[in-house]
Structures are given as C-alpha cells and as structure tokens.
C-alpha cells in the first residue's frame, strides 16, 4: 500500500514540476531571473530522485514564491 502512495506522490510532483516550468517560461522577467528560476526547478527535480517527499515540499515553497512574485536575483 505504501508503494501506491509513493507512486501517487511521484505523479503529483511530476505534474507540479511541469506546471512550474510552464509558469516560469510564461513570466515576463529578465533572462537572468528566468535562468535562476529554471535552475531551482532543476535542483528540485534532481532532489526528487533521492528524497521525493522533501522535493515535494521544496516545490510547494517554490510555487508559493512564484505566485507571490518573490523571484531570485538576476544571474549574470
């Protein structure tokens, strides 16, 4: 039964990552900010391979920051 829960969480994280990437692509922000946001998503994706629950939490915080307009500094 625990395996089913893990699969559901994996599917939910995958959908949320896809949505987050689409939101980042649609933002009207400088390219450096977009790169920083994309890098954060890639880190979350990599973390999901080792700690799915932790990555889900990080992704939730990322989405909240994105929705609130809290973006990282522009990378150069």
């Amino acid at each position: 039964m625990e395996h089913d829960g893990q699969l559901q969480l994996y599917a939910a994280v995958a959908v949320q990552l896809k949505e987050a990437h689409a939101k980042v692509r649609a933002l009207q922000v400088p390219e450096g900010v977009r790169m920083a946001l994309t890098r954060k998503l890639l880190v979350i994706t990599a973390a999901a391979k080792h700690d799915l629950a932790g990555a889900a939490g990080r992704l939730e915080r990322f989405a909240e920051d994105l929705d609130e307009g809290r973006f990282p500094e522009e990378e150069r």
Side-chain angles (χ1 to χ4, degrees):
M1 204 58 133
E2 181 179 323
H3 184 67
D4 289 339
Q6 190 79 353
L7 286 176
Q8 288 176 342
L9 181 58
Y10 179 80
V13 168
V15 167
Q16 291 170 350
L17 277 168
K18 185 176 179 180
E19 291 172 354
H21 276 282
K23 284 183 180 181
V24 168
R25 280 192 308 272
L27 288 174
Q28 299 296 319
V29 294
E31 189 60 29
V33 173
R34 187 180 327 281
M35 286 174 38
L37 290 168
T38 300
R39 186 167 285 116
K40 283 186 169 204
L41 285 173
L42 292 174
V43 168
I44 293 169
T45 300
K49 296 175 183 177
H50 306 287
D51 179 13
L52 187 56
R58 290 174 73 176
L59 182 55
E60 185 175 322
R61 288 187 300 278
F62 177 87
E64 288 172 1
D65 287 346
L66 205 59
D67 290 343
E68 295 293 323
R70 292 187 298 262
F71 305 131
E73 295 292 320
E74 183 173 359
E75 292 186 357
R76 300 180 203 280

